[in-house]
Amino acid sequence: MPRNYDIAELKRLDVAHHLPAQQDYKLIEDMGGSRIVTHAEGCYIYDGDGNRILDGMAGLWCVNIGYGRDELADVAADQMRELPFYNTFFKTATPPTVMLAAKIASLTGGRLPHVFFNASGSEANDTVFRMVRHYWQVKGEPKRKVFISRWNAYHGSTVAGVSLGGMKAMHEQGDLPVPGVEHVRQPYWYNEGRDMTPEAFGLACAKAIEDKILEVGPENVAAFIGEPAQGAGGVIIPPANYWPEVERIVRKYGILLVCDEVICGFGRTGNMWGHETMGVKPDMIAMAKGLSSGYQPISAVAVSKEIVDVLKTGGDFVHGFTYSGHPVAAAVALRNIEIMEREHLVERTRDDTGPYLAKMLVTLNDHPLVGETRSVGLLGAIEIVADKATGARFGGAEGTAGPMVRDLCIENGLMVRGIRDTIVMCPPLIISHAQIDEMIGIIRKALDLALPRLTAI
Ligand code: PXG
């Protein structure tokens, strides 16, 4: 049972002392403090005001095996008693760390056999940033420094993460990106490509990468990085031909291909990896979130043999964190993966719940506010529009309808995100058909409630 917290006091302390992530502090103050989430079970979270909310976001795109797994608490406690911490700097390693590296290597089918650990997705992408540049230096091509990424990509909140990402609002704070990161158009067909077929648009977006490579000079380009499907950007699922064409282009110029699997990894798209769903074979992948289902902060970068063979000729790679390969986090991640395998959550997403979510999303297409629904595995999105024919948005620009529908969903018992005017969802992979029905039912109710308010604008 949850503890008996003094919620009013916690809210007061929240406003007085706590600076939450990616937030407008004045807004939280005006609200009288954050919503205090006290406990959770399965697919539901509970807050201090007595609300039970279906978690359509798996926490923050991470609690894939759902809440309340005693097994993971036991594993963490056992590991803390045996060895709560040891580092990987002193020519040392710990049993869970080594076993997790081997497990991750096997999950890549042996294609990416080497694994570097960190504590967050942002740090994983910092590791990518430094390792890729170091690789090219050791290989004798030190001019290859430039990363190509996409506008509206999300790769984290550290300096390298924000730089690799394509979020303009994040770039504006802190004079980013750092030099050597170039951004190209994103494969967002609904917003940017409806005058073309998805196939023609997929090729055009891939061609933007080739154009950028030629502009920068292929001899200066180190890597292309992308999320198989963009998550925080609004669940942007590229046309099927986009990624294979991207791979063809980067191979043509000898550029490394990096997939950011922080959201798409660990079954989210219906395969173990998002890059499998998109049909490409990257040289490096970053992973986090679903690696431990959020039960512990841990991330990893899996790397090809070819890259590590080169690094082995370069002496120390002077990079790493105190918590690289943290034994408690690694032990929890290992058991999380074991649970995923035991409960066949990847297969279930591919064959059962993913297709069911897609089928249920389609039932919303008749709603006057819905311009498009789309999903891959258990990653879904709904475009809210003022005019279904033209895709025009309420108020002439995005940002009015999305927050309204999101808030109505939350008020009615469903946690989703509103990104611009796109409602996105990413439920735990244990979600049932009945819970998907509940999710779709609450979204329809929220859309119905929003309709008169939006049309009055
Ligand atoms: N890559 C991707 C693809 C992500 O989604 C990160 C890297 C960074 O991971 P860390 O663990 O450093 O946060 C993420 C994180 C949102 C939102 O607005 C998404 C994330 C984080 C915070 C907010 O949906 N994804």
Side-chain angles (χ1 to χ4, degrees):
M1 275 308 288
R3 278 164 274 187
N4 199 10
Y5 293 105
D6 180 344
I7 298 299
E9 174 64 358
L10 286 172
K11 289 193 180 204
R12 190 188 68 74
L13 293 172
D14 183 54
V15 171
H17 303 295
H18 175 220
L19 299 177
Q22 300 198 8
Q23 199 48 262
D24 174 342
Y25 305 137
K26 181 74 175 64
L27 184 85
I28 297 291
E29 185 174 279
D30 293 346
M31 275 167 57
S34 305
R35 179 192 299 273
I36 308 291
V37 175
T38 50
H39 59 292
E41 185 60 40
C43 290
Y44 294 90
I45 55 174
Y46 296 81
D47 70 20
D49 301 314
N51 298 302
R52 171 189 193 255
I53 303 173
L54 177 58
D55 189 3
M57 283 309 299
L60 191 57
W61 322 81
C62 55
V63 187
N64 287 358
I65 63 166
Y67 299 93
R69 299 281 192 162
D70 287 341
E71 207 178 326
L72 292 193
D74 294 343
V75 162
D78 290 348
Q79 184 59 46
M80 279 189 198
R81 288 194 186 93
E82 190 172 287
L83 180 70
F85 175 77
Y86 205 73
N87 72 68
T88 65
F89 281 58
F90 299 165
K91 301 184 177 64
T92 47
T94 67
T97 311
V98 175
M99 288 190 282
L100 181 60
K103 183 68 197 178
I104 291 171
S106 80
L107 293 177
T108 72
R111 282 197 53 259
L112 304 175
H114 303 284
V115 179
F116 192 103
F117 289 110
N118 331 261
S120 69
S122 302
E123 287 168 85
N125 285 322
D126 274 55
T127 295
V128 165
F129 195 92
R130 295 201 59 213
M131 191 183 276
V132 164
R133 285 187 168 179
H134 177 56
Y135 161 79
W136 285 116
Q137 278 173 335
V138 173
K139 201 175 155 71
E141 296 189 56
K143 279 170 63 189
R144 284 199 188 257
K145 285 197 173 67
V146 175
F147 282 82
I148 299 178
S149 175
R150 287 91 53 87
W151 292 116
N152 200 35
Y154 191 81
H155 296 301
S157 197
T158 53
V159 169
V162 172
S163 297
L164 291 172
M167 298 289 175
K168 288 186 180 152
M170 295 179 93
H171 289 170
E172 280 161 14
Q173 295 178 354
D175 201 14
L176 297 171
V178 293
V181 185
E182 298 283 336
H183 296 88
V184 298
R185 70 187 300 188
Q186 57 175 337
Y188 187 2
W189 180 78
Y190 189 78
N191 256 19
E192 300 177 16
R194 275 179 302 132
D195 54 337
M196 295 183 208
T197 62
E199 291 69 31
F201 181 67
L203 292 181
C205 291
K207 183 170 180 300
I209 299 167
E210 184 159 27
D211 292 346
K212 183 60 81 177
I213 292 169
L214 294 173
E215 181 194 319
V216 172
E219 70 283 4
N220 298 317
V221 182
F224 173 80
I225 182 168
E227 304 153 77
Q230 286 152 261
V235 179
I236 292 157
I237 303 165
N241 61 352
Y242 173 76
W243 270 108
E245 181 64 5
V246 171
E247 182 168 38
R248 188 189 68 75
I249 291 167
V250 298
R251 297 293 172 225
K252 180 172 163 190
Y253 297 101
I255 293 162
L256 294 177
L257 183 59
V258 184
C259 284
D260 181 339
E261 296 274 3
V262 168
I263 286 179
C264 293
F266 296 94
R268 178 54 59 189
T269 68
N271 289 295
M272 180 54 68
W273 307 111
H275 67 260
E276 286 176 76
T277 303
M278 301 301 161
V280 294
K281 293 187 165 68
D283 302 294
M284 253 189 207
I285 59 177
M287 68 197 79
K289 299 192 187 267
L291 169 58
S292 67
S293 285
Y295 278 70
Q296 284 284 295
I298 182 167
S299 69
V301 178
V303 189
S304 71
K305 178 176 183 305
E306 290 68 30
I307 292 175
V308 174
D309 282 348
V310 170
L311 296 182
K312 282 177 183 167
T313 67
D316 282 358
F317 175 37
V318 281
H319 175 76
F321 307 99
T322 303
Y323 299 134
S324 287
H326 194 288
V328 178
V332 168
L334 267 172
R335 186 60 69 87
N336 167 63
I337 296 169
E338 197 183 311
I339 292 172
M340 287 191 61
E341 290 180 338
R342 194 199 305 149
E343 299 182 5
H344 306 291
L345 293 179
V346 180
E347 296 80 357
R348 176 173 153 168
T349 304
R350 184 189 64 211
D351 301 333
D352 179 10
T353 46
Y356 188 69
L357 174 66
K359 190 175 123 191
M360 292 309 292
L361 279 170
V362 167
T363 67
L364 294 172
N365 286 343
D366 67 358
H367 197 281
L369 291 180
V370 174
E372 182 191 68
T373 57
R374 57 178 179 267
S375 66
V376 57
L378 283 173
L379 206 49
I382 302 166
E383 296 284 355
I384 304 172
V385 292
D387 183 331
K388 288 165 91 87
T390 63
R393 307 287 180 166
F394 284 98
E398 294 195 73
T400 302
M404 184 187 292
V405 175
R406 173 205 58 203
D407 288 348
L408 285 164
C409 284
I410 298 170
E411 274 169 40
N412 284 281
L414 171 68
M415 185 59 77
V416 286
R417 289 214 49 204
I419 297 171
R420 300 176 306 277
D421 283 350
T422 313
I423 297 296
V424 302
M425 66 212 76
C426 176
L429 302 185
I430 56 161
I431 194 166
S432 66
H433 286 217
Q435 288 162 339
I436 291 174
D437 292 346
E438 184 184 346
M439 191 160 80
I440 299 296
I442 295 173
I443 293 171
R444 181 175 283 279
K445 183 174 174 192
L447 290 167
D448 287 345
L449 290 166
L451 182 59
R453 298 186 203 179
L454 286 168
T455 43
I457 286 170

